[in-house]
Amino acid sequence: MKPISLILHGTIDYLAVLIFAAAPAVIGLSGWPAVLSYALAGIHLLMTFLTDFPAGAIKLVAVNLHNWVERTVGPVLIILAFFPLNGATQNARIFFGIMGVVILAVERLTAYRSTIETK
């Protein structure tokens, strides 16, 4: 049994939005890393808000699509952390790597198939 319920997953998603939105100011992201962090905050907020699960308000996005997006974004952020891309400071690379690991871990530990919480 996976330990993260859909209710807890939604809470973690909204926390991730706050972290992505605050990161440029808190850890000094600038340039494209700051833009990416703000974009991920907005996308994560929209995806969570629109997903058909307890944390979603409008429920237009299937939980399976939400799951697939996180299963993709997590590894992409981890990979991004290993590329010395122009304008990416060590702080940016560490931040995106950690967020990728967190997103992937939450995705792997969530009980998406829970039908009790979604009804």
Side-chain angles (χ1 to χ4, degrees):
M1 182 161 174
K2 295 187 177 188
I4 298 178
S5 69
L6 288 175
I7 293 170
L8 179 57
H9 184 107
T11 302
I12 294 168
D13 278 350
Y14 285 118
L15 178 60
V17 169
L18 294 174
I19 292 168
F20 277 122
V26 173
I27 63 172
L29 300 182
S30 61
W32 72 262
V35 171
L36 178 59
S37 192
Y38 289 132
L40 287 169
I43 292 165
H44 215 98
L45 177 63
L46 189 62
M47 180 66 94
T48 303
F49 192 75
L50 295 177
T51 297
D52 186 12
F53 73 149
I58 298 181
K59 303 182 187 313
L60 294 175
V61 174
V63 173
N64 288 341
L65 178 59
H66 184 109
N67 177 223
W68 180 84
V69 168
E70 289 180 339
R71 193 178 308 153
T72 303
V73 170
V76 167
L77 289 176
I78 294 167
I79 291 166
L80 180 68
F82 289 97
F83 284 94
L85 299 170
N86 190 23
T89 64
Q90 185 173 358
N91 280 352
R93 292 171 57 208
I94 291 169
F95 171 69
F96 290 125
I98 289 171
M99 289 304 290
V101 168
V102 169
I103 289 169
L104 189 58
V106 170
E107 183 274 326
R108 297 283 48 182
L109 295 172
T110 295
Y112 286 100
R113 304 249 185 256
S114 172
T115 57
I116 296 168
E117 293 179 357
T118 58
K119 298 291 177 192

